[in-house]
Amino acid sequence: MARNGGATYAGAALSGLTVLEQRLRQDLEWLELPAKPWVPERAAPDGRPVADVAIVGAGMAGLAAAAALRLDGVDRLRVLDRAAEGQEGPWVSYARMETLRSPKGLAGPALGLPALTFRAFFEAQHGAAAWEALGKIPRGMWMDYLNWYRRVMAVPVENGADVALIRPREGGLIVLEMCTGPEVLCRRLVLASGRDGLGGHFVPEMARRVDRRFWAHSREEIDFAALRGKRVGVVGAGASAMDNAATALEAGAASLDLFVRRAELPRINKFTGIGSQGVVHGFAGLPDEWKWRFLHYAGSAQTPPPRDSTMRVSRHPHARLHLSSPVTGVREVDGALRVETPRGAFTVDFLIFATGFKVALDERPELALIAPHIRLWRDRFTPAAGQESEELAFSPDLAPDFSFQEKVPGECPALARIHAFNYPATLSHGKLTGDIPAISAGAKRLSRGIARSLFVEDRETHFERLVAFDTPELLGDEWPARGVSA
Ligand SMILES: Cc1cc2nc3c(=O)[nH]c(=O)nc-3n(C[C@H](O)[C@H](O)[C@H](O)COP(=O)(O)OP(=O)(O)OC[C@H]3O[C@@H](n4cnc5c(N)ncnc54)[C@H](O)[C@@H]3O)c2cc1C
């Protein structure tokens, strides 16, 4: 019998995780998963191998996409990430929160497999009582989980693999030029390249005129130890603003000024509040004006910073919250930074912009050849008066399988083979790509869409297989000759 922690299984002492992995293997076997591979092998005219699907990014979305494709029998995969192994995504780099915001029980990228959930991973190591006692998931532990997920689902990640340029090629192929090493050829490409995967982090123009030693974006590496004894400012009111402010304070900042545009901190997490399987599966079916209306409303209401993160800042007496204080100017004065707001000017030694991300296709070198052809929402949709939003307008206008669509039909047909599986897909698909809660639903939608298009593209080969298949089920001797008239 298997049981948690220091378990015995079939008489042998096995660790909790080993037992869990055995259970996962058993569950997959009972479900006959992964499905048998069915995509005909392709090679380039020069003989080079061609992946069925290449995935740029091995963060949570890239791992879930790869695992879903493998379960669906699409297994000639290349999963490429520029980060070192175990460093993918934000969790152990620029994320500065103590725990995840999400409730611990979310099934996340588990793809419907109970033994693949974070809870199973946690309980296998620490037991059910520890699960009950756990508040939220420590961020490093979430990274450990993703590392485990990658191993048990046999996702073939190649680390240190930086995609420099995506080049469509004749014959339905896509070439990935790598910063180092040989090109990768594939038939379908998934961009699971993260929140900034179709652009970059957003910084107000005024900051760009100031020397870089005075400021950073929260997405960047920041030497917090160097902020000890310094006056630090943070711009923004979201989770990252609080987490960066708290990290600076804990590193010994002399003072912390938090500049917030709004008259009060947002308190209600609107879109998460109405989360349901209806939203997950229904959003993509909404008429355009309703998709826009939902996200415009949720965006205007803004997501509050987590309570824990906010109190991690407010407990420091030298942290000050400046509401109704949009930063209207920043300039260097006597070796420090003067931050202007309608409520007064403040002097800081270092300013952190926790001002989020944007879609800016021309800022991603790897998209240079395809970016001019990608249709955005603003190319075909005009919002109702009062619902204008630059963020939404620049969202890519995606097809039901997450693939890009052309601005001008016929100018870049390869876009139908390139799938945007990252946060900017939200306006087209709902929140299936950027966050933990519905990432499995997103990965399954993506995988089924790719399976469908590969099958359709290979229809001649599949028809030939149909014609050639000659394994009999009846052997011809089932019916005695006396009862047959021909
Ligand atoms: C600080 C922070 C905290 C968050 N906390 C939560 C939370 O509590 N709950 C929740 O639901 N969501 C949270 N999110 C949102 C979301 O879950 C994360 O952003 C998550 O990392 C998204 O996964 P991803 O795979 O889309 O992107 P990422 O994890 O960012 O992975 C993208 C990967 O792509 C790679 N890459 C990009 N471009 C290239 C290229 N050209 N070549 C090779 N590799 C490339 C990167 O190296 C990176 O590893 C948080 C986000 C942030 C930023």
Side-chain angles (χ1 to χ4, degrees), residues 228-244:
R228 185 176 180 77
K230 298 276 163 57
R231 296 161 294 179
V232 179
V234 175
V235 184
S240 287
M242 293 302 167
D243 294 328
N244 278 272

Side-chain angles (χ1 to χ4, degrees), residues 107-416:
L111 298 170
L113 298 164
L116 195 56
T117 55
F118 176 81
R119 179 171 180 172
F121 170 77
F122 181 93
E123 285 195 6
Q125 298 170 87
H126 309 289
W131 173 258
E132 289 309 319
L134 180 70
K136 288 193 168 174
I137 302 172
R139 127 179 105 76
M141 198 182 276
W142 182 251
M143 187 78 235
D144 294 343
Y145 165 67
L146 292 178
N147 291 334
W148 175 77
Y149 181 103
R150 158 188 178 160
R151 179 169 64 74
V152 294
M153 294 307 281
V155 179
V157 181
E158 299 167 46
N159 287 101
D162 197 343
V163 177
L165 186 70
I166 298 165
R167 187 156 42 83
R169 201 181 120 152
E170 71 286 353
L173 298 185
I174 296 161
V175 178
L176 304 181
E177 291 180 12
M178 307 301 292
C179 287
T180 53
E183 294 174 343
V184 171
L185 275 66
C186 61
R187 298 179 62 189
R188 297 292 181 274
L189 177 64
V190 174
L191 300 178
S193 40
R195 272 192 95 82
D196 53 350
L198 300 186
H201 46 266
F202 173 78
V203 181
E205 219 22 67
M206 61 182 128
R208 303 210 178 267
R209 294 189 285 273
V210 176
D211 194 300
R212 275 308 244 131
R213 72 179 194 279
F214 289 113
W215 65 273
H217 186 275
S218 56
R219 162 74 176 86
E220 295 174 306
E221 211 173 288
I222 297 175
D223 181 1
F224 281 93
L227 299 182
R228 185 176 180 77
K230 298 276 163 57
R231 296 161 294 179
V232 179
V234 175
V235 184
S240 287
M242 293 302 167
D243 294 328
N244 278 272
T247 309
L249 285 161
E250 288 159 12
S255 63
L256 192 292
D257 290 292
L258 197 59
F259 302 107
V260 176
R261 192 164 27 97
R262 297 178 163 249
E264 53 182 36
L265 291 179
R267 291 193 189 171
I268 302 167
N269 198 342
K270 289 275 187 180
F271 211 61
T272 300
I274 63 153
S276 72
Q277 289 304 298
V279 180
V280 168
H281 300 296
F283 187 92
L286 289 173
D288 291 340
E289 60 276 19
W290 277 94
K291 287 181 176 176
W292 190 284
R293 195 172 170 187
F294 269 98
L295 290 195
H296 179 265
Y297 179 83
S300 309
Q302 280 201 332
T303 306
R307 184 173 157 82
D308 295 347
S309 301
T310 309
M311 288 164 65
R312 196 179 153 203
V313 179
S314 66
R315 67 173 168 247
H316 293 268
H318 49 304
R320 286 183 297 263
L321 177 65
H322 304 282
L323 296 167
S324 304
S325 300
V327 175
T328 51
V330 277
R331 62 197 162 88
E332 188 184 336
V333 178
D334 299 334
L337 204 59
R338 194 86 179 136
V339 180
E340 283 149 20
T341 78
R343 304 203 136 197
F346 301 82
T347 301
V348 299
D349 299 304
F350 197 74
L351 188 61
I352 301 172
F353 287 93
T355 37
F357 300 91
K358 63 178 176 185
V359 172
L361 300 174
D362 52 348
E363 287 188 17
R364 298 292 294 207
E366 67 267 42
L367 304 180
L369 298 178
I370 58 171
H373 305 291
I374 293 174
R375 191 166 87 196
L376 305 178
W377 271 68
R378 69 174 186 154
D379 294 323
R380 67 158 187 82
F381 181 81
T382 309
Q387 290 182 16
E388 296 81 5
S389 156
E390 192 150 317
E391 191 192 337
L392 295 179
F394 279 84
S395 298
D397 181 21
L398 302 178
D401 61 358
F402 293 97
S403 60
F404 290 119
Q405 304 188 83
E406 296 165 289
K407 216 178 258 184
V408 180
E411 287 202 340
C412 188
L415 290 182

